[in-house]
Amino acid sequence: MSGKSNVVLIKDGKRLDGRKFDELRDIKMEVGVLPRAQGSSYLEWGKNKVMAGVYGPRKLHPMFLQNPTKALVRCVYNMAPFSVEDRKRPGPDRRSVEISKICSEALDSVVLSERFPNAVIDIFVEILQADAGTRCAGLTAASMALADAGIPMKDLIASCAAGKVEGEIVLDLMKEEDNYGECDLPIAIIPRKKEFALLQMDGKLSRQEYSKALNLAMDGCLKVYEIQKQTLIDSAKVEAN
Ligand code: CDP
């Protein structure tokens, strides 16, 4: 988020990839893609490619981490070295630790974890190709994998970002907009409860811009939620046949 560049991000009212200000990138989802995982999903969101797998619930070790009142919901976000333009050093870094933490907290807010005392539910999010918005894509994929695993939840998590690019409030920033734009506002919601599960902001917005961006991101989440539900319905139909 530099806000300064010679890159033209908006031309004749259209964005670099031809999208309107309130348009999402193309999203494709699948569940049940990894037979050895309890639940899994694959998501393509623009140029982002994300895989999520669930392992558990199972007994948590070491035992001192166990909570007799609920399961530990633990998400690990990992970016593959080949997922970005400049090779990413393999293994965890500050950014992936942060994203793992916020994803764990967001997913914990929907899982009915009190049904699994002393257990752990591990969710692995692998970013195979990145083009901005990977935390939103990762969270969306993770909640689909949990649903595919049959883990009881209050609702899915639907996530999307909005932001500011060349003074305009736009939905779902792609890489150039994320790199050279003025602000990125990724959010995640629990749609049925109309609650926030994540709200972060990188950059600056006025109060008015903030409300506009927040509303736009929420509309984006609701569109993502519709795709999530449809994907799960379609996969249930395939299983029934
Ligand atoms: O991906 P997200 O927008 O949630 O997180 P970010 O930290 O704002 O990163 C934005 C984008 O920068 C990523 O999606 C990648 O495309 C890129 N990036 C990169 O090229 N190399 C990294 N080590 C980290 C991020």
Side-chain angles (χ1 to χ4, degrees):
M1 253 334 58
S2 69
K4 292 175 217 131
S5 85
N6 298 324
V7 183
V8 178
L9 297 171
I10 294 179
K11 205 173 166 194
D12 303 328
K14 287 270 171 74
R15 297 155 71 179
L16 269 187
D17 55 5
R19 276 184 296 155
K20 291 184 254 165
F21 296 161
D22 62 352
E23 204 175 326
L24 281 174
R25 289 174 282 185
D26 285 341
I27 299 178
K28 276 189 261 169
M29 294 180 197
E30 254 182 273
V31 287
V33 290
L34 302 171
R36 288 187 194 145
Q38 191 89 32
S40 58
S41 72
Y42 174 67
L43 170 65
E44 286 187 7
W45 185 323
K47 291 183 198 158
N48 289 316
K49 295 187 179 182
V50 180
M51 201 79 134
V54 170
Y55 187 44
R58 65 192 163 92
K59 200 165 182 192
L60 175 58
H61 290 287
M63 275 177 77
F64 73 88
L65 289 177
Q66 288 181 2
N67 181 340
T69 65
K70 67 192 283 279
L72 174 66
V73 177
R74 195 164 56 180
C75 180
V76 176
Y77 164 104
N78 181 54
M79 220 174 197
F82 49 77
S83 66
V84 285
E85 235 163 66
D86 297 326
R87 171 186 175 274
K88 189 212 161 266
R89 195 162 172 260
D93 53 19
R94 274 174 55 154
R95 178 178 171 278
S96 65
V97 169
E98 174 221 322
I99 299 178
S100 298
K101 180 177 185 292
I102 55 124
C103 288
S104 299
E105 289 169 358
L107 296 164
D108 183 49
S109 70
V110 285
V111 171
L112 300 178
S113 50
E114 61 285 354
R115 300 214 185 155
F116 306 102
N118 300 320
V120 59
I121 299 169
D122 278 309
I123 307 122
F124 298 94
V125 170
E126 297 291 329
I127 308 297
L128 307 174
Q129 190 167 284
D131 194 68
T134 59
R135 74 196 62 209
C136 298
L139 254 180
T140 301
S143 81
M144 294 290 283
L146 282 168
D148 182 52
I151 308 274
M153 290 191 283
K154 289 178 205 161
D155 196 0
L156 293 164
I157 293 273
S159 182
C160 188
K164 184 176 168 188
V165 172
E166 292 189 1
E168 300 287 350
I169 301 301
V170 299
L171 184 65
D172 185 21
L173 278 62
M174 40 96 148
K175 185 160 180 292
E176 290 78 0
E177 295 174 333
D178 186 291
N179 286 173
Y180 307 117
E182 290 114 89
C183 186
D184 184 26
L185 180 81
I187 68 163
I189 62 168
I190 307 169
R192 271 156 64 182
K193 300 196 95 195
K194 297 197 165 50
E195 281 176 7
F196 284 95
L198 169 74
L199 200 162
Q200 295 187 294
M201 188 161 106
D202 179 13
K204 284 186 188 162
L205 294 174
S206 69
R207 274 171 186 256
Q208 273 175 335
E209 287 170 340
Y210 174 75
S211 319
K212 193 174 170 186
L214 195 62
N215 283 326
L216 195 59
M218 273 160 58
D219 288 346
C221 288
L222 294 177
K223 286 179 192 156
V224 170
Y225 186 51
E226 290 307 315
I227 306 172
Q228 287 176 298
K229 285 191 294 184
Q230 196 54 54
T231 306
L232 291 171
I233 291 168
D234 292 347
S235 100
K237 278 185 195 156
V238 170
E239 252 175 52
N241 286 329

